[in-house]
Amino acid sequence: MKLIFEKHKDGRRGFSYGLVDVGGAKPLPEKYRRGAALPLPCLSELDVVRHYTNLSRLNFSVDTNFYPLGSCTMKYNPKFCERVAGFEGFSQLHPLLPQLSGGGMLAQGSLEVLYETEKLLCEITAMSAFTMQPLAGAHGELTGVMLIAAYHKDKGARRKYVIVPDSSHGTNPSSAAIAGYEVKVIPTGPDGYMDLVEYKKQLNDEVAAVMLTCPDTLGIFNPRIREIADMAHKVGALLYYDGANLNAMLGKCRPGDIGFDVVHLNLHKTFATAHGGGGPGAGPVGVSQKLVEFLPISRVIRCGDGTYALDYNYRKSIGYIAPFYGNFGVILKAYAYMLCLGREGLIKAAEIAVLNANYCQAKLKSYYDLAFDKTCMHECVFSAMRQAKNGVHALDIAKYLIDKGFHPPTIYFPLIVKEALMIEPTETESKETIDAFIETMIEIARLAEDNPSLVKQAPVNMPIKRLDEVRAARKLDLCWKPQN
Ligand SMILES: *Cc1c(COP(=O)(O)O)cnc(C)c1O
């Protein structure tokens, strides 16, 4: 496909300016004017419409195809949430509008949304309070670990370590490291659970926190989680719950009830904001009572007269972590989504997410090796080791799926599974769609036996075939220069 610059035709236009109808208007003074025309392509309106429409059709999206990208929860997000987020009363508000009733009431509705969303998330997770400000999951993690650090500092304790199992999401150890901690990694045992003997060995009064991804990146929920939590508390460490994939748990189990002190959620995974391509997202952080005083400012409060206000009066707060109200549109969509589904709907979403993943796992487990043969949560993790013996690697399987109109699952992650294929069908897909995917996966397993080169050639139907991935990363060239 040509770049829009290559479609340029001298003199072609898609617009014309009307005549100046302001009396006495003068042209800009000479010194402010450009010496030469801007090097923009000349195109008709139709040229531009076709160009971008055709480009958009090369995009892969949940709105067009199945997208079982493990850990990312690429589910369908209902369009009504977008509509609500687009309501002018919300989308056109200036972030610096006065909040207090004395200064005008224009921001009251938005503050109420923040306040009510916080209350709903508290109920879903059994935490005491949330900050809605973090702008992504990883940002929530960093905020959460900073809260933990503030707590220990306030108690006068010097703690050095954060414990992270090797089945956690990669952002967990990096968040702990950025917050200034040394990370201790606990291996996964042969049963697929964190090695408890090693855990006990590493746990002492120098440990600030234990960070657990729940369910972990193997798609497994650890049944001994309360024991793990109790052991951490015994040495004075706090418990961190990575709840990015809460759609596996909604209404079934609450981090606060298990004893977690901090939890972050990814609204852009579980609660109806489309993602991929870098945002925007929201990673609100919930805390137990003992951490509330450290939450970032500002906090939304409800005043005695029923109005809402931003409160900055928290002496021990860790301070600002994001401007204004966070990614307000994302929070608003989550609020609309929760109200629409209601309690029963949210529980059902979790049940179907888990059912769909177990269905994939059961249907595929005689064709691919399972990383750990257990009931899974919202995703199932296979290994393509059997196929790799015939030269068909996880990457080849991914490329073949693209040819068939499916987004590949996450591959080569989690790192602890060789040739990993991490499949997350999500709760929004129909049985027919999942069946079509399963059939293609079975077809690939057969081809790996009978005709591996067919898989290794894929994709053959795409505008771009196999890329030199190393060159694409190391010698990325996105610059177009006019040739003349
Ligand atoms: C996606 C994800 C994250 C990171 O979230 P971002 O919004 O991409 O920063 C953290 N933990 C888990 C388990 C995730 O799936």
Side-chain angles (χ1 to χ4, degrees):
M1 225 176 128
K2 281 186 171 172
L3 296 177
I4 198 163
F5 290 94
E6 295 170 292
K7 295 180 179 170
H8 162 94
K9 277 276 172 283
D10 277 339
R12 192 165 283 175
R13 304 177 143 245
F15 68 93
S16 53
Y17 292 120
L19 290 175
V20 177
D21 59 357
V22 187
K26 290 198 192 96
L28 269 183
E30 187 67 38
K31 63 174 175 177
Y32 295 127
R33 275 187 258 162
R34 214 173 254 117
L38 267 183
L40 293 175
C42 295
L43 300 155
S44 72
E45 179 173 324
L46 179 57
D47 290 336
V48 175
V49 169
R50 288 227 172 109
H51 179 80
Y52 286 108
T53 305
N54 286 323
L55 261 190
S56 78
R57 285 163 40 163
L58 295 178
N59 272 347
F60 194 102
S61 77
V62 181
D63 283 0
T64 56
N65 296 72
F66 186 45
Y67 207 135
L69 188 68
S71 202
C72 293
T73 314
M74 303 302 285
K75 66 181 180 183
Y76 174 72
N77 297 293
K79 296 290 172 255
F80 94 91
C81 293
E82 295 295 333
R83 250 193 89 208
V84 171
F87 286 162
E88 281 194 359
F90 293 120
S91 65
Q92 301 299 309
L93 280 190
H94 193 282
L96 286 177
L97 266 180
Q99 292 93 28
L100 296 168
S101 43
M105 302 290 277
L106 290 172
Q108 283 296 308
S110 296
L111 294 177
E112 184 176 351
V113 166
L114 290 170
Y115 185 85
E116 291 297 330
T117 308
E118 179 179 345
K119 288 280 158 295
L120 291 179
L121 295 182
C122 285
E123 186 174 340
I124 286 173
T125 57
M127 304 310 286
S128 301
F130 265 82
T131 170
M132 304 304 295
Q133 295 191 336
L135 305 171
H139 194 205
E141 289 174 35
L142 179 61
T143 305
V145 181
M146 285 165 67
L147 290 167
I148 289 169
Y151 169 84
H152 288 304
K153 193 168 167 218
D154 189 58
K155 297 208 121 195
R158 291 261 159 258
R159 290 182 180 239
K160 283 208 300 225
Y161 303 106
V162 167
I163 287 184
V164 177
D166 66 359
S167 62
S168 71
H169 196 264
T171 47
N172 295 180
S174 38
S175 300
I178 290 175
Y181 286 106
E182 264 176 64
V183 176
K184 287 190 180 188
V185 179
I186 310 294
T188 298
D191 56 357
Y193 299 131
M194 177 166 83
D195 182 340
L196 279 195
V197 175
E198 191 58 28
Y199 174 60
K200 269 180 220 158
K201 236 193 256 165
Q202 299 292 345
L203 203 55
N204 57 42
D205 63 5
E206 286 195 304
V207 173
V210 178
M211 286 181 94
L212 298 176
T213 301
C214 291
D216 62 29
T217 61
L218 297 164
I220 294 174
F221 184 81
N222 193 324
R224 297 174 74 176
I225 194 162
R226 191 189 293 267
E227 211 181 317
I228 294 169
D230 290 346
M231 283 194 263
H233 279 151
K234 234 177 236 141
V235 298
L238 297 186
L239 257 296
Y240 185 102
Y241 187 105
D242 178 337
N245 305 122
L246 203 73
N247 63 333
M249 317 292 303
L250 287 168
K252 296 291 174 185
C253 144
R254 306 192 302 167
D257 293 335
I258 309 171
F260 280 85
D261 302 287
V262 187
V263 51
H264 90 264
L265 309 176
N266 278 28
L267 298 189
H268 49 295
K269 286 178 183 169
T270 305
F271 297 97
T273 281
H275 64 112
V285 172
V287 293
S288 58
Q289 198 54 45
K290 57 180 177 271
L291 289 164
V292 173
E293 59 183 333
F294 304 104
L295 281 172
I297 45 175
S298 59
R299 311 247 313 108
V300 181
I301 53 162
R302 202 181 139 104
C303 310
D305 63 356
T307 59
Y308 300 90
L310 294 181
D311 188 3
Y312 297 84
N313 198 14
Y314 291 84
R315 200 172 46 82
K316 293 185 179 174
S317 164
I318 60 168
Y320 290 96
I321 52 126
F324 307 117
Y325 305 174
N327 274 334
F328 179 74
V330 177
I331 297 164
L332 178 57
K333 281 186 269 186
Y335 183 56
Y337 177 78
M338 287 188 278
L339 288 187
C340 177
L341 263 68
R343 185 190 161 85
E344 299 311 317
L346 290 171
I347 294 173
K348 189 123 202 226
E351 288 172 351
I352 299 176
V354 172
L355 179 65
N356 284 352
N358 278 284
Y359 181 67
C360 284
Q361 174 165 301
K363 286 276 186 176
L364 288 174
K365 74 184 209 183
S366 51
Y367 300 92
Y368 295 87
D369 298 334
L370 264 180
F372 294 96
D373 194 355
K374 312 188 133 48
T375 306
C376 64
M377 299 299 288
H378 61 300
E379 61 200 1
C380 55
V381 180
F382 288 99
S383 158
M385 283 305 279
R386 205 190 305 174
Q387 289 71 29
K389 291 199 188 96
N390 295 331
V392 173
H393 294 270
L395 180 74
D396 303 312
I397 296 170
K399 298 289 186 193
Y400 193 88
L401 284 167
I402 296 174
D403 245 354
K404 296 286 168 176
F406 297 109
H407 195 285
T410 297
I411 54 173
Y412 302 113
F413 182 83
L415 302 175
I416 51 177
V417 177
K418 284 201 179 109
E419 295 285 341
L421 295 162
M422 184 197 215
I423 302 170
E424 182 181 11
T426 80
E427 65 269 29
T428 55
E429 297 297 332
S430 67
K431 180 165 179 294
E432 301 88 273
T433 303
I434 298 174
D435 280 338
F437 171 77
I438 289 168
E439 259 166 50
T440 307
M441 287 296 288
I442 294 174
E443 178 188 325
I444 297 172
R446 294 218 170 97
L447 284 175
E449 297 286 329
D450 306 337
N451 197 349
S453 67
L454 264 189
V455 186
K456 296 199 67 74
Q457 281 160 22
V460 293
N461 300 328
M462 291 292 124
I464 305 278
K465 311 289 183 280
R466 288 271 172 141
L467 287 171
D468 181 339
E469 311 218 350
V470 175
R471 231 182 93 215
R474 301 270 160 82
K475 299 214 163 137
L476 189 64
D477 180 6
L478 296 175
C479 186
W480 179 83
K481 292 184 200 78
Q483 284 123 0
N484 41 31

